[in-house]
């Protein structure tokens, strides 16, 4: 999490500093309309800056993954930037429209403008002529962006509709770029602020076009055929085994991919549940949580063609600087067991010498699923601890430490519900585990 926290804070600090150098606060004193101008400029710069970076991150750039510790963290930053852009855009709109309302209601008196210097730069003259259009376009784009961002944040909104509507944000963004280019103070463009803002909006515009044309992740897509379906009814998990018809670059245990079973539904992210053997095959274990995933056992057939995009993610079981640690503790909550299954498949072929304890906590046990898990653990030399919540109670840090006396010599890998992971992180850190030794997959793409 620290990577994305630093990236988020660093971006806001950089944009604020560049704005400050370009437009010092209140050059004309504390008069309201001078404050309004400064506030509009600042909120506009921050709003467009964070939205531009958010658009670029939506391309799922793999080169940024190591810097942000995985695509799951990248998407968390994308979400934060979207919320920040929404907040600053609302404040920007209130300063612009609220003042106009106040003047119209007689609460404020607009000061008379003195004579303006004659413009000689043809570009500035052109921009000045487009101001009215830019204001109208920006206002309607703002309304559209607010609605689309709110829809994206409301998880009850069906995924298939989110998938289709979220792409429309690219159109709203392009309209806001036009609004910003025309209305940004002309003097900014010759300063570092203008250069950085121009580069960000250029990158965001390219990303918007790529999104609108459906080319996100295009080079990382491969077509495969479903060759096996196994439905574990008791825990509502479906195994989907795929044999590729295209070249698949291979993957590491713990990575995930975006899978498209239906173009109407769009791509869903699923953790890859198998190690890579170089044979063009992999499988996913998919929990029937939402309306669509719950119906997959009825919808999918052996022989169906699917599109797989990836691999992504940095949940790779490396010790991230703690190479002296020869013990690991894995905790899988519910369907969060999937990356650990993939890792056990890999360890069965190539052991790494570490002692591993795997805790699988589930509220919906399936006997066949658990038997397969036990066989994988035995083949990989992993100590498996299965806890059924109704029978064994809640898994917590105290129970893990009691079961694994050498826990302080281990690093911990968790995949599962966010609240469960946060509780374990806080508990282990309180007992003295270094924060960097607790690794958690933030598998939430909305």
């Amino acid at each position: 999490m620290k990577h994305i926290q630093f990236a988020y804070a660093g971006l806001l600090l950089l944009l604020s500093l560049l704005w400050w150098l370009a437009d010092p606060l209140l050059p004309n004193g504390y008069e309201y309309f001078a404050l309004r101008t400064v506030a509009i400029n600042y909120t506009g710069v921050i709003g467009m800056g964070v939205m531009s970076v958010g658009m670029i991150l939506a391309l799922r750039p793999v080169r940024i993954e190591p810097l942000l510790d995985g695509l799951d963290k990248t998407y968390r930053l994308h979400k934060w930037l979207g919320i920040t852009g929404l907040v600053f855009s609302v404040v920007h709109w209130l300063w612009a429209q609220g003042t106009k309302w106040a003047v119209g209601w007689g609460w404020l008196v607009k000061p008379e403008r003195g004579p303006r210097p004659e413009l000689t730069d043809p570009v500035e003259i052109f921009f000045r002529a487009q101001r009215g259009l830019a204001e109208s376009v920006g206002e309607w784009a703002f309304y559209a962006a607010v609605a689309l961002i709110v829809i994206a944040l409301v998880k009850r909104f069906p995924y298939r509709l989110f998938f289709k509507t979220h792409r429309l944000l690219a159109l709203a963004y392009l309209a806001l770029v036009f609004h910003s280019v025309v209305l940004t103070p002309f003097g900014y463009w010759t300063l570092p602020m203008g250069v950085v803002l121009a580069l960000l909006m250029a990158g965001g515009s390219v990303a918007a076009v790529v999104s609108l044309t459906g080319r996100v992740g295009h080079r990382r897509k491969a077509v495969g055929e479903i060759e096996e379906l196994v439905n574990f009814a008791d825990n509502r998990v479906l195994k989907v085994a795929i044999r590729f018809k295209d070249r698949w670059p291979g993957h590491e245990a713990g990575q995930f991919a975006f899978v498209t079973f239906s173009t109407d539904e769009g791509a869903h992210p699923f953790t890859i549940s198998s190690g890579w053997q170089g044979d063009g095959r992999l499988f996913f274990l998919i929990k029937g949580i939402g309306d669509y995933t719950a119906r997959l056992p009825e919808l999918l057939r052996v022989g169906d063609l699917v599109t797989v995009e990836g691999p992504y993610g940095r949940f790779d079981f490396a010790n991230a600087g703690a190479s002296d640690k020869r013990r690991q503790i894995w905790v899988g909550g519910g369907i969060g067991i999937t990356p650990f299954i993939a890792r056990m498949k890999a360890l069965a072929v190539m052991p790494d010498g570490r002692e591993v304890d795997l805790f699988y906590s589930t509220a919906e046990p399936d006997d066949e699923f658990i038997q397969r898990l036990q066989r994988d653990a035995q083949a990989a030399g992993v100590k498996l601890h299965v806890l059924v919540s109704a029978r064994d109670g809640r898994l917590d840090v105290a129970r893990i430490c009691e079961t694994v006396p050498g826990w302080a010599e281990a690093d911990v890998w968790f995949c599962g519900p966010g609240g469960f992971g946060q509780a374990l992180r806080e508990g282990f850190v309180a007992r003295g585990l270094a924060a960097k030794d607790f690794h958690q997959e933030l598998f939430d793409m909305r």
Side-chain angles (χ1 to χ4, degrees), residues 15 40 62 94 104 124 144 164 203 257 347 370 402 405 407:
L15 292 173
I40 287 177
V62 292
L94 286 173
E124 187 173 3
K164 294 176 180 178
L347 288 178
I370 292 174
E402 181 181 350
W407 65 269

Side-chain angles (χ1 to χ4, degrees), residues 29-77:
Y30 288 89
E31 191 268 327
Y32 173 82
F33 283 91
L35 173 62
R36 173 181 180 260
T37 299
V38 169
I40 287 177
N41 291 343
Y42 178 67
T43 53
V45 164
I46 299 297
M48 285 308 300
V50 298
M51 282 192 284
S52 297
V53 176
M55 286 299 304
I56 295 169
L57 294 182
L59 293 181
R60 305 198 269 269
V62 292
R63 293 183 180 180
I64 293 180
E65 276 200 84
L67 302 177
L68 298 178
D69 199 25
L71 187 64
D72 58 320
K73 314 300 191 300
T74 302
Y75 264 85
R76 181 62 59 89
L77 178 58

Side-chain angles (χ1 to χ4, degrees), residues 198-247:
L199 290 174
L200 290 178
M201 290 194 295
S205 297
V206 171
V209 172
V210 172
S211 176
L212 288 170
T213 55
R215 304 281 293 181
V216 175
H218 178 73
R219 294 182 179 180
R220 301 181 67 80
K221 291 180 180 179
V223 174
E225 177 182 336
I226 297 177
E227 65 174 1
E228 181 187 19
L229 293 168
V230 180
N231 187 21
F232 301 97
D234 289 345
N235 64 355
R236 296 179 292 126
V237 171
L238 177 67
K239 176 184 177 181
V240 182
I242 295 171
R243 177 174 54 84
F244 284 106
K245 292 181 172 293
D246 292 335
R247 181 180 180 277

Side-chain angles (χ1 to χ4, degrees), residues 359 387 392-404:
F359 293 83
L387 293 95
D392 304 309
R394 182 178 177 83
L395 177 63
D396 56 19
V397 172
R399 176 172 290 186
I400 294 173
C401 293
E402 181 181 350
T403 305
V404 186

Side-chain angles (χ1 to χ4, degrees), residues 172-195:
Y173 171 80
L174 290 174
L176 290 172
V177 168
F178 169 71
H179 168 86
S180 300
V181 168
V182 172
L183 296 179
T184 295
F186 196 73
Y188 278 17
W189 300 117
T190 58
L191 300 172
M193 174 74 269
V195 174

Side-chain angles (χ1 to χ4, degrees), residues 142-305:
F142 161 75
Y143 298 144
V146 168
L148 293 169
I149 292 174
V150 170
I151 286 172
L153 294 174
V154 177
K155 294 186 179 180
R156 291 187 178 181
F157 196 74
Y159 185 90
R160 65 183 180 278
L161 297 180
F162 156 77
F163 173 77
K164 294 176 180 178
T165 59
H166 199 57
R167 186 177 292 177
L168 296 176
L169 262 174
L171 281 176
Y173 171 80
L174 290 174
L176 290 172
V177 168
F178 169 71
H179 168 86
S180 300
V181 168
V182 172
L183 296 179
T184 295
F186 196 73
Y188 278 17
W189 300 117
T190 58
L191 300 172
M193 174 74 269
V195 174
V196 171
L197 192 60
L199 290 174
L200 290 178
M201 290 194 295
S205 297
V206 171
V209 172
V210 172
S211 176
L212 288 170
T213 55
R215 304 281 293 181
V216 175
H218 178 73
R219 294 182 179 180
R220 301 181 67 80
K221 291 180 180 179
V223 174
E225 177 182 336
I226 297 177
E227 65 174 1
E228 181 187 19
L229 293 168
V230 180
N231 187 21
F232 301 97
D234 289 345
N235 64 355
R236 296 179 292 126
V237 171
L238 177 67
K239 176 184 177 181
V240 182
I242 295 171
R243 177 174 54 84
F244 284 106
K245 292 181 172 293
D246 292 335
R247 181 180 180 277
W248 178 252
H251 59 269
E252 299 292 334
Q255 291 191 296
F256 65 92
F258 289 85
V259 185
T260 303
F261 295 115
S262 166
T263 54
D264 291 335
E265 180 69 19
H268 283 250
F270 300 112
T271 298
I272 302 169
S273 304
S274 56
W276 178 244
Q277 305 298 327
D279 58 357
R281 288 176 165 85
L282 55 71
F283 68 83
F284 299 91
L285 293 170
I286 301 172
K287 179 80 170 183
I289 299 174
D291 176 64
Y292 177 70
T293 51
R295 292 187 296 115
L296 284 180
E298 307 167 15
L299 299 175
L300 301 184
R301 297 288 183 272
V302 171
D304 288 351
L305 295 181

